[in-house]
Amino acid sequence: MFAVIKTGAKQYKVTKDDVIVIERVKGEAGDKVTFDEVLMADGKIGTPMVAGASVEGEIVKQSRGEKVIVFKKRRRQGYKRKNGHKQELSVVKITDIKA
């Protein structure tokens, strides 16, 4: 059985024992998290969410992603800006899907 959840303005297809990398959720490693925004579970498609469905997971670790360089330039104007960004991420193991 699989489910489609929505978190961090993105959608993820998950099954039991999957390990996914998502945008940072509050908590420390070992904490339990519950995803209530389930778009599809057990073949049922929500309008927009499946009523009563939830997905439970456990935070494996909190980390940061690869550095992304943001470079802006306007040609012939002498305008250049360079910035970097590292996204805050959480690694979550899915423990249970409740449809």
Side-chain angles (χ1 to χ4, degrees):
M1 177 168 70
F2 72 92
V4 177
I5 61 172
K6 179 179 168 187
T7 179
K10 296 176 183 69
Q11 298 174 4
Y12 300 91
K13 179 182 174 184
V14 297
T15 59
K16 190 171 189 264
D17 297 326
D18 274 358
V19 177
I20 58 173
V21 179
I22 60 175
E23 288 188 18
R24 176 72 56 107
V25 292
K26 291 183 181 178
E28 298 294 323
D31 289 353
K32 306 283 185 194
V33 291
T34 303
F35 302 102
D36 294 325
E37 293 185 353
V38 179
L39 303 172
M40 181 176 174
D42 198 25
K44 297 175 188 165
I45 299 174
T47 54
M49 306 295 168
V50 178
S54 66
V55 174
E56 294 180 356
E58 179 181 346
I59 298 174
V60 177
K61 70 175 184 175
Q62 303 281 23
S63 64
R64 296 178 82 187
E66 293 290 318
K67 188 168 191 173
V68 177
I69 302 298
V70 180
F71 185 75
K72 298 179 181 181
K73 180 180 191 249
R74 300 234 167 97
R75 63 185 191 160
R76 298 186 297 271
Q77 305 300 316
Y79 174 83
K80 290 192 283 188
R81 298 290 182 267
K82 182 178 178 182
N83 274 322
H85 174 73
K86 284 188 175 183
Q87 185 66 41
E88 304 266 328
L89 301 173
S90 296
V91 180
V92 176
K93 181 176 182 182
I94 304 300
T95 57
D96 192 22
I97 297 174
K98 296 180 180 176

